[in-house]
Amino acid sequence: MKEKLEQIKQRAMEEIQAVDGMDKLNEIRVAFLGKKGELTKVLKSMKDVPPEERPKVGQFVNETRTIIEEALEKEKKLLAAKIREEKMKREVIDVTLPATRKMMGHRHPNQIALEDLERVFVGMGYEVVEGPEVEYDKYNFELLNIPANHPAKDEQDTFYITKDILLRTQTSPVQARIMETGRMPIRVIAPGRVFRSDEVDATHSPSFHQVEGLVVDKGITFADLKGTLQQFATEFFGPETKVKFRPHHFPFTEPSAEVDITCFKCGGKGCRMCKGSGWIEILGCGMVHPKVLRDCGIDPEVYSGFAFGIGLERVALLKYEIDDMRLLYENDVRFLNQF
């Protein structure tokens, strides 16, 4: 029996020394010390050993178990140290290398211009409101004094979804919805995306952004409109900016005007940006047409108001001297990081 235990110990030690991984080491532990292992078989055969020899045999079994367990534990520590060393070599960090920089987001020129614009009008007491991009013909055209036979309602200019539903061509429908509530006074700006059937080029896109303003109250005059837009121009484009109003026609305002500002590049002397005129057109405006007020449930004998519409891309192109509108939509980080 002693010789058999010596053979078991010798075989276990040889296998432990040849082991190359934790899994194999565990297999050796089970093979020699497990419930069905070599030493367990020896203990089960004790019934065949004479009673007077059983204590010695039991002692030999325990000594063999202890030697094998110590060898297994020693090899386990060696393997763990080896694995850790290899892991450290693989995961070593060279602190002299430059760190990996994360790409940070950047505000779009349109967003910067919009925030600047909103800051100006909120400072004058305006509220920022929004409305649906998919709109009813009623709000987009009819309530704004644009009849069924008006050229703007042609499918060549407007994206119709059904006969009565379309992609809004302006943010003026938001103004109509605000007036329809009947809450006075009204002092709002309505920024948002609009859609028109335009070919893409340096100054046009089928999808762009507008910011429209509306004021309705008792005693509102064209002088209030002029003062408001002068204040906007000086805060947005610079304190030396002058404003010029030219007569124009819009169905929803009467009288109506186009608004020009002195070229902030040349100060009105004439340059490439203003095409030598010294002036740059920036928006359209006018006094709200009495029919529009009446159709929206407001008495034009009591209330009056003014409205204006600003192309967001236009003022962004002007303010940041961008010569092609398409650059705003290409998502080129090299371009966007300039702003």
Side-chain angles (χ1 to χ4, degrees):
M1 184 66 72
K2 185 176 180 180
E3 292 177 358
K4 186 176 182 180
L5 287 170
E6 190 65 33
Q7 291 174 0
I8 291 173
K9 182 179 71 172
Q10 188 65 30
R11 196 164 67 251
M13 299 304 288
E14 290 173 356
E15 291 188 21
I16 290 171
Q17 290 175 4
V19 78
D20 58 358
M22 287 291 189
D23 292 339
K24 183 63 177 176
L25 196 66
N26 191 52
E27 290 177 7
I28 294 172
R29 181 185 295 278
V30 172
F32 288 94
L33 307 179
K35 291 182 178 180
K36 297 181 180 180
E38 297 286 341
L39 290 183
T40 304
K41 290 178 182 177
V42 171
L43 289 173
K44 288 181 178 180
S45 66
M46 288 282 283
K47 62 181 182 297
D48 300 327
V49 177
E52 64 275 8
E53 293 183 13
R54 287 178 186 175
K56 290 183 179 181
V57 173
Q59 183 180 353
F60 292 150
V61 170
N62 288 335
E63 288 175 355
T64 302
R65 175 183 292 277
T66 300
I67 291 171
I68 294 175
E69 285 179 345
E70 288 176 352
L72 286 169
E73 188 62 28
K74 181 180 179 181
E75 190 63 29
K76 181 181 178 181
K77 290 180 179 179
L78 291 173
L79 281 174
K82 185 178 179 182
I83 292 170
R84 184 180 179 185
E85 183 179 355
E86 291 176 353
K87 186 177 181 182
M88 291 292 286
K89 288 180 180 178
R90 289 197 310 271
E91 298 180 358
V92 66
I93 299 174
D94 186 349
V95 296
T96 65
L97 290 174
T100 302
R101 296 183 63 184
K102 292 185 178 180
M103 288 291 291
M104 299 298 292
H106 193 282
R107 290 186 303 162
H108 194 276
N110 265 3
Q111 185 63 29
I112 299 172
L114 177 59
E115 290 173 4
D116 289 346
L117 193 149
E118 288 180 347
R119 176 183 52 79
V120 173
F121 283 103
V122 168
M124 290 192 282
Y126 284 67
E127 178 186 359
V128 180
V129 296
E130 296 181 345
E133 293 179 0
V134 179
E135 188 57 276
Y136 288 105
D137 182 278
K138 169 187 173 183
Y139 290 101
N140 197 80
F141 290 127
E142 291 181 20
L143 291 179
L144 300 175
N145 197 30
I146 301 177
N149 60 351
H150 195 279
K153 299 185 71 171
D154 193 290
E155 291 184 5
Q156 298 300 314
D157 294 319
T158 301
F159 293 109
Y160 274 90
I161 297 172
T162 68
K163 181 177 179 294
D164 299 317
I165 300 176
L166 48 85
L167 298 181
R168 67 182 181 186
T169 60
Q170 56 214 356
T171 56
S172 301
V174 182
Q175 300 177 359
R177 289 176 176 273
I178 294 295
M179 286 190 285
E180 201 175 46
T181 64
R183 293 194 296 270
M184 296 293 172
I186 297 171
R187 189 178 287 108
V188 298
I189 57 170
R193 181 158 45 184
V194 298
F195 307 87
R196 295 181 189 176
S197 186
D198 289 333
E199 294 290 335
V200 177
D201 60 29
T203 57
H204 296 85
S205 171
S207 175
F208 55 101
H209 300 78
Q210 277 192 342
V211 180
E212 301 208 9
L214 173 69
V215 172
V216 179
D217 201 354
K218 294 178 181 179
I220 299 296
T221 68
F222 203 92
D224 298 309
L225 171 60
K226 292 180 69 175
T228 298
L229 295 181
Q230 177 67 63
Q231 181 69 18
F232 159 68
T234 55
E235 288 199 37
F236 193 83
F237 293 105
E240 304 300 322
T241 306
K242 297 179 181 179
V243 175
K244 179 173 69 174
F245 290 77
R246 291 180 289 105
H248 196 70
H249 168 73
F250 298 112
F252 33 84
T253 54
E254 180 62 36
S256 304
E258 292 277 12
V259 178
D260 301 337
I261 61 169
T262 48
C263 179
F264 46 84
K265 185 72 172 177
C266 64
K269 296 177 182 179
C271 66
R272 183 181 63 83
M273 178 172 284
C274 60
K275 298 178 181 178
S277 69
W279 296 89
I280 299 175
E281 178 188 325
I282 59 165
L283 60 88
C285 65
M287 299 300 292
V288 180
H289 199 292
K291 186 177 186 303
V292 173
L293 291 172
R294 192 176 296 110
D295 289 347
C296 291
I298 298 173
D299 187 352
E301 298 296 326
V302 178
Y303 293 96
S304 59
F306 63 77
F308 55 86
I310 304 169
L312 184 61
E313 279 83 355
R314 180 165 181 76
V315 295
L317 292 176
L318 291 172
K319 187 168 185 178
Y320 302 115
E321 300 183 29
I322 304 170
D323 58 6
D324 194 323
M325 186 176 179
R326 289 168 291 193
L327 291 169
L328 297 175
Y329 308 131
E330 292 177 349
N331 296 323
D332 189 328
V333 176
R334 296 169 301 176
F335 170 75
L336 297 178
N337 281 339
Q338 298 177 58
F339 303 95

